Amino acid sequence: MKPGVGIFGFTGCAGCQLEILNLEDILLDLPSVVDIINFRMAKSENLDGPLDISFVEGSIMKYQVGELKKIRKNSKILVAIGSCACYGGVQYLQNFIEKPWKIVYNDKKMKYASPDTKSLSSYVKVDYSLPGCPIDKEEFVDFLKSVLLGRKPKMKSYPICVECKLRENDCLLEKGTICLGPVTVAGCNSKCPNNNYACEGCRGPVEEANISSQAELMKEKGIDPVDLIRRFRMFTSGAKEFQEAKA
Amino acid sequence: MFRKIKKENIVKIVEKLMKDYDVVAPVRNEKRFVFEKIKNPEKIVLDYDSTILPPKKFLLPSPEIMIRFDNDKITIPENNKKTIFFGIHPCDMNAINLLDKVEYDEYKDDYYIKKRENSVFVCVDCTKANEYCFCESMGSDKPEGYDVLLTDIGDYYFVETGSRKGEELVENGFFENVDKNEKIERKKNCKRKMNIENFDKILKQKFDDKIWEQLGDKCLGCGSCSFVCPTCYCYSVKDIVDLSLKKGERRRVWDSCLLVDFAKVAGGHNFREKRSARVKQRMYHKELYFFEKYNYSACVGCGRCIRECPVGIDVTDVISKIRGD
C-alpha cells in the first residue's frame, strides 16, 4: 500500500510548498508512489488523516498550536520543511526586539496581538528537519525515497563548503567576502556561492558549527559586532547556536 | 638526442592530441586556475601557479559511478577513453605517484587503476611558486613518473621523456631534435619552508600536545583542506535511486576526516568525536602514518590546504610550532 502524505503550511510565505510543486519533471509520477491525502495548495479535496508522513511548512503562532497538534496526532512521521518550520524563520527575529510592532505601527492601536511565532519543535515532536529558504526540492525527493525504501533518512552533517569546494568555486572568504558557508548545513548544492553570492545561512547551523571561530573570521574581515550577530540570525535566529552567538 | 617544442606549437600539438585523447589541462577560472577537459586549446595556461582542485578530480572523480542497477541487473560503467594530463606540475605528479602506492596496494582500486593506465602525463616544470607552496621542502619539486616533461627555456619548452608512452607522443613534426642539452635547471623559488627532519619521531611524542586543542577550537570543520589535497583519497558510498526505487546507481563521493561523522559507526558511536582529534588525524595521516607505511610523507607541499583554509590553519606553521622552532 502506498504511504499517505500530507503537506501543510502555517506562518510563512508558502514558498516551500511551492518548491514541491516546482518538481515539474516528476510531479505527475509522485501519486504513483504516495497517496497525497492533504495538500491544500495543490488539491481541493483534503482529509485530516491518517498520515504516514506529514511535511509541515511555516512557523507556529499561538492560535495555530491546536491545528499543529492535530497533524502530529494523525501522522506517523512529522517533517519540518523550511527554515520557518525548523527554526522559526525570519519572523522569529522579533523575539530579540522589545515591542517590535512599534517599529512598524508606531502608537497606532493594534487590532491583533503581536504574533508570537515559533518553530514546530517548540510545540510538538519533530522527527526530521529539511531546512532552507526555501527547501531544496531534490533534498525533499531524496528524503521521500529513503522513507519509501524503509531506510533511515540520512541528514547532512557537513557544511556548504563541501559542496562549494567540489564545484571548484573560487572561495568567497578568500576573496574577502563574508560568507556563512562554513557554519551552514549543506543540501542546497551551494547555490548562492556558485553564483558568486555569499552564503547567508538560510539553511541554519551545521552540526557542531564553530560559531566562535567563524565570528573571529568575520571580525578579521571587518564586520562590526552588531552586523555580525545580525548576519548569523537573519534566517534562523531560533537556532540555539545563533541565539547564543556573541560578537 | 634531445628535443624541444616551440611554445606557439603547444596549441597545435594539443589540437592533434585531442583527436585520440581527452586532454586535461590548466585553464583560467576568474583569478585562479582549474584543470579542465579542454575544448579550446587556446585556453590552456602553462605558466600557472596552482589549481583549486588537483588532478585527482579526474583520476578519483567525485561522484564516481561504481555500478548501475536496474532490478536485478547490474552493470559497471565502461570508460576506455584515453586521457592526457597536459601541463601538470611536479608536485601534482608526485602526488599521483603517492596515490599509486595506495590504489595499487593490497585492495586494488580498479576504477583508479583503469583511468591511471589509460592516462599519459605531460608535466611542465613549475616556474611560479606562490606564497603557499613548499614543494622543495618535501622533495617533490623533482619531477618523477612523468611520460613527458616540459621545461620552459624561453621561446621553447625543452622536452624530456620518461616512458615509452612519452616517446611515442613526441615522435612528430612539432618536436624538434636538438644536439645539446639546452635545459635550464630550475632555481629554488619556494618562499615557504617546512623542516621535516625526524618529524615522524617528533609527531609521535606530541600526540597529547595542547596545540591540537587550540587547532580544534579554530578549525571550522569544512573539510576544504582534504578536498583540495592531491593525496587525500577517502570516500563514502551512496546509492541513488529513481522514483521506481528499483533503478539507480551506486556513487562514491569524496569524504573527509575533518567532517563530524567521518568516524561515526552504526549505533551512533563516533571514534573521533572532538574536532581536535579530527584535525590531528589529518596531520598525522599525512606526515606520520603514511610515512610509516610507505616511507614517504603524503604531503607534496603544494600548499593548497594552506590557501584554502578559511581560518588560516597552516601545516608548515603547525609543524614548526611542534618542533619548537
Side-chain angles (χ1 to χ4, degrees):
Chain A
M1 215 180 83
K2 290 185 282 184
V5 168
I7 298 162
F8 304 92
F10 287 95
T11 305
C13 73
C16 294
Q17 294 182 72
L18 193 59
E19 271 303 277
I20 297 171
L21 289 177
N22 283 342
L23 280 164
E24 286 155 5
D25 293 344
I26 59 156
L27 194 61
L28 298 176
D29 300 328
L30 279 176
S32 64
V33 291
V34 293
D35 266 331
I36 314 251
I37 308 278
N38 192 318
F39 189 4
R40 269 193 305 176
M41 184 186 262
K43 64 198 271 270
S44 36
E45 279 178 37
N46 297 292
L47 301 171
D48 284 346
L51 297 161
D52 292 289
I53 320 166
S54 57
F55 294 96
V56 183
E57 174 211 69
S59 65
I60 304 298
M61 288 163 66
K62 279 225 173 91
Y63 78 90
Q64 294 167 324
V65 175
E67 185 68 16
L68 175 67
K69 286 192 169 162
K70 197 172 86 189
I71 293 168
R72 175 69 267 191
K73 212 175 140 206
N74 291 336
S75 315
K76 284 188 192 150
I77 300 173
L78 186 140
V79 187
I81 56 167
S83 292
C84 299
C86 297
Y87 298 107
V90 174
Q91 57 272 32
Y92 193 89
L93 279 170
Q94 62 165 331
N95 293 305
F96 299 91
I97 307 165
E98 217 178 308
K99 297 186 179 169
W101 65 89
K102 277 201 125 182
I103 298 170
V104 184
Y105 299 106
N106 244 324
D107 288 326
K108 273 191 197 139
K109 204 170 170 238
M110 290 285 292
K111 200 168 177 184
Y112 306 101
S114 177
D116 172 33
T117 177
K118 286 181 177 162
S119 66
L120 305 187
S121 62
S122 310
Y123 300 108
V124 296
K125 177 174 170 269
V126 172
D127 299 299
Y128 297 100
S129 295
L130 299 175
C133 186
I135 55 162
D136 185 89
K137 54 183 193 260
E138 301 302 332
E139 196 180 34
F140 168 82
V141 177
D142 281 347
F143 178 90
L144 197 60
K145 285 175 189 166
S146 291
V147 177
L148 291 170
L149 282 164
R151 265 193 214 157
K152 191 176 179 214
K154 185 143 170 45
M155 297 291 114
K156 294 183 179 69
S157 57
Y158 51 86
I160 301 287
C161 296
V162 173
E163 299 175 331
C164 193
K165 203 55 64 189
L166 257 61
R167 271 160 192 78
E168 229 169 353
N169 295 327
D170 210 344
C171 180
L172 289 159
L173 282 161
E174 205 213 338
K175 288 202 278 192
T177 317
I178 288 166
C179 179
L180 290 185
V183 290
T184 304
V185 66
C188 58
N189 288 316
S190 59
K191 270 195 190 79
C192 295
N194 295 352
N195 292 292
N196 212 6
Y197 191 79
C199 173
E200 293 191 326
C202 80
R203 295 180 54 83
V206 65
E207 187 180 332
E208 219 192 72
N210 193 343
I211 303 297
S212 59
S213 186
Q214 172 79 17
E216 280 306 311
L217 176 66
M218 287 157 72
K219 279 190 266 181
E220 274 169 34
K221 302 212 179 287
I223 198 168
D224 78 62
V226 178
D227 258 2
L228 190 148
I229 296 296
R230 282 177 176 161
R231 286 281 184 113
F232 276 145
R233 286 183 183 164
M234 182 150 63
F235 285 93
T236 63
S237 58
K240 196 169 148 277
E241 290 88 335
F242 295 147
Q243 291 196 16
E244 290 166 358
K246 287 185 197 74
Chain B
M1 191 180 67
F2 302 102
R3 287 189 189 83
K4 61 182 182 179
I5 183 168
K6 236 189 188 135
K7 281 186 176 167
E8 62 200 50
N9 279 340
I10 291 289
V11 171
K12 290 179 196 150
I13 183 77
V14 171
E15 260 167 12
K16 180 178 138 46
L17 293 171
M18 280 165 69
K19 289 182 189 133
D20 301 314
Y21 297 91
D22 279 349
V23 176
V24 167
V27 299
R28 202 172 280 282
N29 165 32
E30 286 186 68
K31 287 182 189 142
R32 310 271 305 268
F33 298 95
V34 296
F35 285 114
E36 201 176 86
K37 192 178 141 186
I38 297 299
K39 290 191 192 86
N40 172 12
E42 305 270 358
K43 279 177 72 189
I44 297 176
V45 183
L46 289 182
D47 61 338
Y48 66 108
D49 60 346
S50 179
T51 55
I52 300 177
L53 291 180
K56 76 171 179 186
K57 83 171 191 186
F58 291 96
L59 289 166
L60 291 168
S62 183
E64 167 113 71
I65 298 163
M66 304 179 80
I67 56 170
R68 290 200 171 89
F69 49 88
D70 185 351
N71 288 286
D72 293 336
K73 220 178 94 202
I74 291 172
T75 47
I76 298 171
E78 284 280 330
N79 182 7
N80 294 316
K81 189 83 183 164
K82 290 180 182 165
T83 303
I84 289 195
F85 289 83
F86 199 96
I88 67 171
H89 280 160
C91 60
D92 281 340
M93 190 66 235
N94 280 306
I96 292 166
N97 299 335
L98 292 171
L99 283 178
D100 287 349
K101 291 185 192 303
V102 179
E103 310 296 356
Y104 282 85
D105 204 347
E106 192 181 351
Y107 303 102
K108 296 204 176 1
D109 187 297
D110 288 337
Y111 298 96
Y112 175 87
I113 290 173
K114 190 142 202 197
K115 289 192 197 66
R116 175 71 168 93
E117 277 161 20
N118 277 326
S119 295
V120 182
F121 296 94
V122 178
C123 281
V124 62
D125 206 2
C126 181
T127 51
K128 273 201 179 153
N130 61 27
E131 60 183 289
Y132 307 99
C133 49
F134 53 101
C135 62
E136 287 156 8
S137 302
M138 306 311 290
S140 52
D141 54 326
K142 295 170 200 71
E144 272 171 44
Y146 55 83
D147 296 298
V148 177
L149 172 66
L150 308 175
T151 308
D152 193 333
I153 53 168
D155 295 335
Y156 285 85
Y157 286 104
F158 187 75
V159 180
E160 291 160 272
T161 54
S163 70
R164 184 184 287 271
K165 274 187 200 171
E167 278 295 328
E168 284 166 12
L169 207 75
V170 298
E171 281 193 6
N172 59 60
F174 296 111
F175 295 90
E176 303 167 24
N177 292 336
V178 285
D179 300 332
K180 60 176 202 308
N181 188 346
E182 295 177 20
K183 184 172 176 177
I184 301 165
E185 286 302 327
R186 177 162 71 134
K187 290 194 192 88
K188 299 268 180 200
N189 59 4
C190 293
K191 285 173 224 93
R192 198 177 284 268
K193 302 212 168 7
M194 186 159 95
N195 180 359
I196 58 167
E197 205 188 333
N198 288 327
F199 70 154
D200 55 324
K201 294 184 188 74
I202 294 167
L203 277 173
K204 275 183 196 162
Q205 292 163 5
K206 298 286 182 174
F207 199 82
D208 295 318
D209 199 277
K210 63 179 187 311
I211 191 166
W212 306 117
E213 285 300 327
Q214 292 162 358
L215 290 170
D217 287 343
K218 205 172 179 193
C219 173
L220 294 168
C222 71
S224 292
C225 50
S226 59
F227 296 125
V228 301
C229 177
T231 66
C232 272
Y233 47 79
C234 288
Y235 61 83
S236 68
V237 175
K238 56 183 181 186
D239 288 345
I240 310 290
V241 290
D242 71 5
L243 261 189
S244 74
L245 309 178
K246 300 211 164 71
K247 211 173 136 185
E249 57 196 37
R250 175 163 296 172
R251 291 181 192 170
R252 70 177 185 190
V253 293
W254 292 350
D255 204 345
S256 164
C257 54
L258 275 304
L259 303 180
V260 177
D261 65 357
F262 184 81
K264 202 185 250 180
V265 292
H269 180 72
N270 194 340
F271 285 96
R272 280 185 221 114
E273 206 155 34
K274 291 176 78 179
R275 201 157 44 226
S276 57
R278 301 197 286 270
V279 178
K280 180 161 69 177
Q281 164 63 22
R282 181 162 184 277
M283 300 245 179
Y284 271 64
H285 188 208
K286 291 284 144 194
E287 315 293 355
L288 177 66
Y289 308 146
F290 200 91
F291 179 80
E292 287 179 323
K293 193 161 184 199
Y294 299 110
N295 213 22
Y296 284 90
S297 160
C299 175
V300 293
C302 72
R304 287 185 178 97
C305 57
I306 304 173
R307 177 163 196 168
E308 228 58 51
C309 181
V311 290
I313 294 176
D314 169 353
V315 59
T316 63
D317 180 50
V318 173
I319 295 291
S320 123
K321 280 199 177 116
I322 287 175
R323 302 185 79 96
D325 291 349

